Amino acid sequence: MSVMTPPGIKNPGDYIEDVMSIVKAKNAAEPEFHQAVQEVFDSLRLVLQKHPEYRSSKILERITEPERVIMFRVPWFDDRGEIQINRGFRIEMNSAIGPYKGGLRFHPSVNLGILKFLAFEQVFKNSLTTLPMGGGKGGSDFDPKGKSDNEVMRFCQSFMTELSRHIGPDTDVPAGDIGVGGREIGFMFGQYKRLRNEFTGVLTGKGLSWGGSLIRPEATGYGCVYFAEEMLKSRKDSFAGKLCLVSGSGNVSQYTVEKLLDLGAKPLTFSDSDGVVYDPDGIDREKLAWVMELKNVRRGRIREYGDKFKKAIFMPTDIKLEHNPLWNIKADCAFPSATQNEIKAKDAANLIKNGCKLVAEGANMPCTLEATKMFLEAKVLYGPAKAANAGGVATSGLEMAQNSARLSWTREEVDDRLHKIMIAIHKNCFETAEKYGTPGNLVNGANIGGFLKVANAMLDQGLV
């Protein structure tokens, strides 16, 4: 039964186009933010027809406007005694269902548009986790690569000196992201504690001896594979013997490979900004341990894998090309776990041509809108980032719960909770997609499922 649009209120298509025009005009030169908003809006046509109250309350206009944007200068001394200046950011996007929660990214590419896209995605991702967390994101254009521990410490202390006045365990709880691991979280936590004279769970991803949670480093990768396992189960399939492509070689990629091995799959690849290693024999536990030591301890480049394991092939990547050789390797499943927009239309075409059955996003928005559309049209099982990689922030939420209760759960307990959360997220996405007439479309399921909880909370709390 169609629902009539009340007089004086535009139909959903026109309303969405109008709001999208406003978003583009207000946020010029922020293409990633436009892309993230467009992807969610495309799914919401189905919802707005049934719920005209979201239009009359201007929920879309409000949900695309951050509650607060903080931008600041970060001065620090390098090891030569030279003064360096970076830029720091925190986007506090939406707190309708809980304190702001989302990572800090330290990378030269960081700018306002990228952080706004990440914060916008985070709102819906956090909503899907079933935990009471709002959405935020932050970071800096500082590059920790090639810096000494002392330089990283001085930068982190200067960064936290400013950020500390805007965050807190009941206000905004940042975590790590690209370029921000245990070392950086430790330096920032130490500075927050020194400035505020309090020991609270203000950051997640902490060390185990001072408030961290077991399974947190593994959570995004493990969670992505748990979600993908549910996707395969929906077609009465499993990971046994599946050939898998994994991009990136950081935290998410490493633990994606580990969990794939647990479930009987055969991972074939790692990559970094230099290029791709393809190991036709598969990456086993011994090789994975070597990569972890290379990346986490020696902070080396993935090309060294090809020198160490002679059957492996190293393929340099050329950023000027519109495709990546990694996605042209024949495999059953793909786990883009490096960065945004790494799978373009040509990559999607290569994956489909080679018989790829499943794509689960470990990174944030790693597929362009065109690539996403191609996967959905080809009936590839497609797990969007806000659902598939929500395991990281879900376990951050579990770390917050442990901090609030002054407790530490066992590895098995955290892993069990993470697994159950990923099963619940898939169930929500799968059932919501069916309810709104697009069975199997987990993009619609994730966008609508995440949106409804936040939108209803915003309606309940009045015009704020």
Side-chain angles (χ1 to χ4, degrees):
M1 185 182 85
S2 67
V3 179
M4 294 291 290
T5 300
I9 295 180
K10 294 180 177 177
N11 71 55
D14 290 345
Y15 171 52
I16 281 171
E17 278 184 31
D18 285 355
V19 179
M20 200 64 227
S21 299
I22 293 166
V23 167
K24 287 180 175 175
K26 275 186 167 182
N27 306 279
E30 294 178 3
E32 296 88 358
F33 183 54
H34 303 164
Q35 180 184 339
V37 173
Q38 185 72 62
E39 194 245 17
V40 171
F41 279 11
D42 285 345
S43 299
L44 294 185
R45 290 169 200 273
L46 306 160
V47 176
L48 296 171
Q49 191 67 43
K50 287 188 179 181
H51 295 282
E53 67 273 19
Y54 296 148
R55 283 174 274 164
S56 58
S57 296
K58 301 214 168 169
I59 291 292
L60 296 197
E61 290 92 331
R62 289 157 61 189
I63 214 165
T64 51
E65 196 63 50
E67 291 176 7
R68 195 174 293 107
V69 174
I70 300 145
M71 194 163 98
F72 50 93
R73 180 175 66 206
V74 188
W76 57 282
F77 282 109
D78 67 19
D79 285 345
R80 297 188 309 276
E82 299 275 335
I83 294 171
Q84 301 291 338
I85 311 291
N86 285 98
R87 200 176 246 185
F89 304 88
R90 188 67 180 169
I91 316 295
E92 296 180 335
M93 196 79 194
N94 191 295
S95 60
I97 61 171
Y100 308 105
K101 183 87 195 81
L104 295 169
R105 175 176 293 193
F106 292 170
H107 192 271
S109 66
V110 165
N111 59 41
L112 204 53
I114 284 177
L115 291 179
K116 276 162 75 177
F117 119 63
L118 290 166
F120 184 75
E121 284 275 293
Q122 198 77 44
V123 172
F124 305 105
K125 182 190 299 187
N126 292 0
S127 171
L128 286 170
T129 67
T130 71
L131 301 172
M133 300 182 292
K137 205 78 181 185
S140 172
D141 56 2
F142 171 76
D143 189 358
K145 199 184 291 177
K147 304 286 192 301
S148 71
D149 286 350
N150 279 333
E151 286 176 320
V152 172
M153 181 181 72
R154 285 193 290 270
F155 171 80
C156 287
Q157 289 178 340
S158 182
F159 180 85
M160 183 51 79
T161 297
E162 177 58 36
L163 186 66
S164 64
R165 69 191 74 195
H166 306 289
I167 63 175
D170 299 312
T171 308
D172 184 351
V173 184
D177 193 76
I178 293 171
V180 178
R183 172 181 64 167
E184 290 76 14
I185 292 288
F187 292 149
M188 286 189 281
F189 183 84
Q191 184 72 350
Y192 181 90
K193 183 163 62 77
R194 171 203 239 172
L195 292 167
R196 300 289 286 264
N197 192 29
E198 58 186 33
F199 195 109
T200 59
V202 68
L203 290 162
T204 54
K206 299 186 290 298
L208 286 176
S209 60
W210 43 278
S213 174
L214 288 157
I215 300 286
R216 178 59 194 94
E218 297 92 332
T220 307
Y222 279 16
C224 190
V225 178
Y226 287 147
F227 188 88
E229 185 182 27
E230 294 304 303
M231 290 161 70
L232 287 170
K233 280 182 186 172
S234 74
R235 290 194 183 167
K236 299 187 167 36
D237 202 351
S238 76
F239 271 118
K242 294 275 190 295
L243 300 178
C244 298
L245 305 176
V246 180
S247 67
S249 50
N251 189 287
V252 179
S253 314
Q254 293 167 17
Y255 290 111
T256 295
V257 166
E258 183 169 284
K259 188 51 68 175
L260 285 170
L261 291 170
D262 288 348
L263 296 179
K266 185 177 178 181
L268 302 172
T269 58
F270 274 121
S271 68
D272 62 17
S273 53
D274 291 349
V276 178
V277 287
Y278 164 49
D279 191 334
D281 287 350
I283 296 161
D284 59 21
R285 290 184 194 281
E286 183 189 337
K287 292 169 180 173
L288 173 61
W290 187 88
V291 169
M292 286 179 161
E293 201 267 340
L294 170 76
K295 283 292 177 180
N296 306 345
V297 180
R298 291 197 282 125
R299 303 187 189 275
R301 309 305 290 157
I302 203 66
R303 65 169 66 242
E304 295 178 42
Y305 185 102
D307 302 329
K308 172 76 174 171
F309 303 103
K310 297 305 176 194
K311 283 195 183 173
I313 301 157
F314 177 75
M315 297 174 275
T317 46
D318 182 352
I319 54 169
K320 293 193 286 291
L321 293 175
E322 278 301 294
H323 61 91
N324 184 328
L326 192 156
W327 307 119
N328 200 18
I329 297 164
K330 194 167 175 58
D332 304 299
C333 307
F335 290 85
S337 308
T339 192
Q340 64 265 13
N341 291 330
E342 59 175 296
I343 293 186
K344 299 177 173 60
K346 179 82 166 74
D347 299 311
N350 286 337
L351 284 164
I352 293 164
K353 176 192 76 188
N354 286 327
C356 180
K357 301 180 184 70
L358 177 148
V359 177
E361 297 186 335
N364 289 307
M365 204 170 74
C367 298
T368 63
L369 288 175
E370 197 179 354
T372 299
K373 191 166 171 241
M374 290 166 72
F375 289 136
L376 292 173
E377 284 173 356
K379 297 283 187 280
V380 171
L381 284 167
Y382 179 71
K386 62 175 65 72
N389 79 16
V393 75
T395 308
S396 282
L398 298 178
E399 183 176 326
M400 289 165 67
Q402 291 170 77
N403 292 167
S404 295
R406 297 285 196 266
L407 290 173
S408 183
W409 297 331
T410 65
R411 183 183 178 83
E412 292 71 27
E413 193 172 356
V414 180
D415 194 20
D416 182 57
R417 286 174 191 252
L418 167 65
H419 197 172
K420 283 175 176 159
I421 286 170
M422 298 315 295
I423 291 169
I425 292 173
H426 180 269
K427 185 170 187 277
N428 183 357
C429 296
F430 191 85
E431 291 177 354
T432 302
E434 288 204 328
K435 181 181 174 184
Y436 283 86
T438 56
N441 186 328
L442 298 181
V443 174
N444 283 347
N447 287 334
I448 295 169
F451 171 81
L452 288 172
K453 184 174 175 183
V454 177
N456 290 334
M458 290 171 74
L459 288 177
D460 290 345
Q461 291 167 26
L463 187 56
V464 293

